[in-house]
Amino acid sequence: TPGFVQNLIPRDYQVKLAKDGYHDWNKTLPIYSNETTFIEDITLFLNTKPSSLVQADIVKSAVSPDQVIMAYLISTESWLELWTYNIETEEQLLLNRYIDSPNENITFSWSTDGERLLIEHEQTTNTSYLGIDKNGNSRIEMSEATEETVEHAWWHPEDPLVVLFYSPTETFQYRISTGQVTEIYTGPTLATTDEGQAVLIQNVDNATSVFRSVNDHTSLLAYLPLGEYELLPASWPHLLLHEPDKERLILIDIQQDSQPILLDADASGATWATDGSGRLLYYNDFEVHIYDPTGHTDELLVRISEPTLSAAWHPEGNAVLACRSSGLYAIELDWRDQRNIYQL
């Protein structure tokens, strides 16, 4: 490859692409009179045993949005240690250490640019939040930096320099670059902002309500099933909400008034394509889907008989990786004839 085969009689042909050390690519494709059939954007996957990058008792992990650095928590004899591993340089770095006890719970998440981690340290009496960059520097204790009681904090889903948080009485945003704290709302609520607009998510009566606030004027945007939602990364004007307990995923167009809810689906996880296409990959126990907001299409990639534990985009955007209890699988997106699925 690349190759161009001419003067074929119109009919179906069996095509195979093969390379030593890789899974074969097979598909039956039609040839029509006076037309060209294209085979492009094909990825061949290695047919070799995986190699171990980190050998440790990993409790939980999170990969940076650029897929370069993995943050992971390991359990030692008496400590919980937060490390990073750089996939490109193979460097490991200890970021922080905590006492390992049943009353300690550590969670962490990346900013959208992959430069910083927000670490939530839950203890018996209180919960603290620490911002730290990927090199272990620029440590920011949220309660000290804001002089507020931080009850809950989360990354802005689009702006990597903003942490949103609420106290018992108000909701704020904290800009890391300037240290400026700005009040968003006079009450504790899940929120996000953009250019003077704020979107507020609150549990009211027997539903979760989504409000849009512009210049101190608040209007109802949508009613959702009651739940404890979290904000997932999404570019404005999209709002992506996930309810972990009920495994519910909701995508909202903030600028739509008549039908703002674009997607309401069962999902244990979701991630945006990295090729700039704006597609959303989401999955539940037995199905893997791709939703495209541009054409408002929801495509079922595969339905299987065992739970999908996690899923991710291939960097080229032409395949999806799915992790199940039986192994790791690559699912191609070329719908013609059949989707090739490889166990890696």
Side-chain angles (χ1 to χ4, degrees):
T1 58
F4 185 45
V5 182
Q6 302 184 66
N7 302 320
L8 292 174
I9 297 173
R11 62 179 175 85
D12 287 347
Y13 286 83
Q14 292 181 332
V15 184
K16 179 170 78 170
L17 299 179
K19 184 177 180 179
D20 289 343
Y22 292 80
H23 289 279
D24 293 347
W25 183 90
N26 294 279
K27 205 173 282 279
T28 300
L29 297 174
I31 300 295
Y32 300 105
S33 179
N34 297 315
E35 292 185 18
T36 301
T37 296
F38 291 93
I39 304 171
E40 53 190 354
D41 296 330
I42 300 301
T43 296
L44 298 185
F45 290 91
L46 283 168
N47 188 15
T48 56
K49 291 184 178 180
S51 57
S52 177
L53 299 180
V54 177
Q55 295 184 358
D57 181 13
I58 297 179
V59 178
K60 59 187 68 173
S61 63
V63 180
S64 61
D66 58 10
Q67 310 294 303
V68 173
I69 298 178
M70 179 179 74
Y72 59 96
L73 192 68
I74 65 172
S75 176
T76 64
E77 291 183 357
S78 55
W79 297 98
L80 286 173
E81 296 180 346
L82 182 61
W83 290 76
T84 58
Y85 175 83
N86 190 306
I87 297 169
E88 294 180 346
T89 65
E90 300 183 359
E91 293 178 335
Q92 291 177 273
L93 178 66
L94 175 63
L95 292 185
N96 224 357
R97 180 180 285 159
Y98 305 90
I99 296 174
D100 190 1
S101 76
N103 300 323
E104 307 276 326
N105 184 37
I106 310 295
T107 57
F108 45 90
S109 58
W110 287 97
S111 58
T112 54
D113 61 357
E115 291 294 320
R116 298 167 186 81
L117 281 162
L118 183 64
I119 306 164
E120 178 182 340
H121 182 198
E122 185 179 353
Q123 300 170 283
T124 306
T125 55
N126 72 304
T127 301
S128 61
Y129 291 87
L130 173 68
I132 186 171
D133 72 13
K134 62 183 180 182
N135 299 313
N137 304 319
S138 304
R139 295 170 181 257
I140 302 171
E141 289 281 358
M142 283 295 298
S143 8
E144 295 178 5
T146 63
E147 298 181 355
E148 299 286 344
T149 301
V150 179
E151 288 202 340
H152 182 56
W154 61 97
W155 285 113
H156 191 287
E158 190 176 13
D159 191 334
L161 294 175
V162 170
V163 176
L164 298 146
F165 70 95
Y166 58 71
S167 71
T169 58
E170 295 167 295
T171 302
F172 302 89
Q173 74 170 21
Y174 171 73
R175 182 160 292 279
I176 295 174
S177 55
T178 62
Q180 182 180 9
V181 177
T182 307
E183 180 188 317
I184 297 175
Y185 186 66
T186 56
T189 183
L190 189 65
T192 183
T193 61
D194 182 78
E195 297 181 357
Q197 297 186 64
V199 178
L200 315 170
I201 301 99
Q202 288 183 306
N203 289 338
V204 180
D205 297 328
N206 294 318
T208 295
S209 300
V210 181
F211 298 94
R212 180 173 49 209
S213 178
V214 182
N215 299 325
D216 297 327
H217 175 70
T218 301
S219 58
L220 179 66
L221 190 62
Y223 279 120
L224 308 180
L226 185 66
E228 296 299 324
Y229 292 89
E230 61 182 7
L231 279 168
L232 297 184
S235 59
W236 199 271
H238 291 135
L239 183 73
L240 187 60
L241 297 172
H242 184 232
E243 218 289 4
D245 292 338
K246 299 183 179 67
E247 295 195 343
R248 191 182 200 109
L249 185 75
I250 297 179
L251 180 65
I252 297 174
D253 187 337
I254 299 167
Q255 294 180 342
Q256 288 287 342
D257 292 321
S258 57
Q259 293 181 322
I261 299 177
L262 302 179
L263 178 69
D264 184 350
D266 296 332
S268 50
T271 180
W272 295 97
T274 56
D275 62 354
S277 64
R279 295 172 296 170
L280 180 68
L281 167 70
Y282 72 92
Y283 55 93
N284 53 41
D285 277 354
F286 305 109
E287 296 180 345
V288 179
H289 290 250
I290 292 178
Y291 175 75
D292 188 348
T294 305
H296 193 47
T297 58
D298 189 355
E299 180 182 12
L300 172 64
L301 282 189
V302 65
R303 181 179 286 120
I304 50 181
S305 59
E306 61 175 326
T308 298
L309 306 177
S310 63
W313 287 95
H314 186 278
E316 307 225 347
N318 59 2
V320 164
L321 303 178
C323 181
R324 309 174 198 157
S325 57
S326 60
L328 181 66
Y329 295 82
I331 307 166
E332 71 163 355
L333 301 191
D334 188 344
W335 53 267
R336 297 174 297 178
D337 180 31
Q338 61 176 0
R339 293 192 194 276
N340 286 303
I341 300 178
Y342 312 96
Q343 183 167 7
L344 305 180

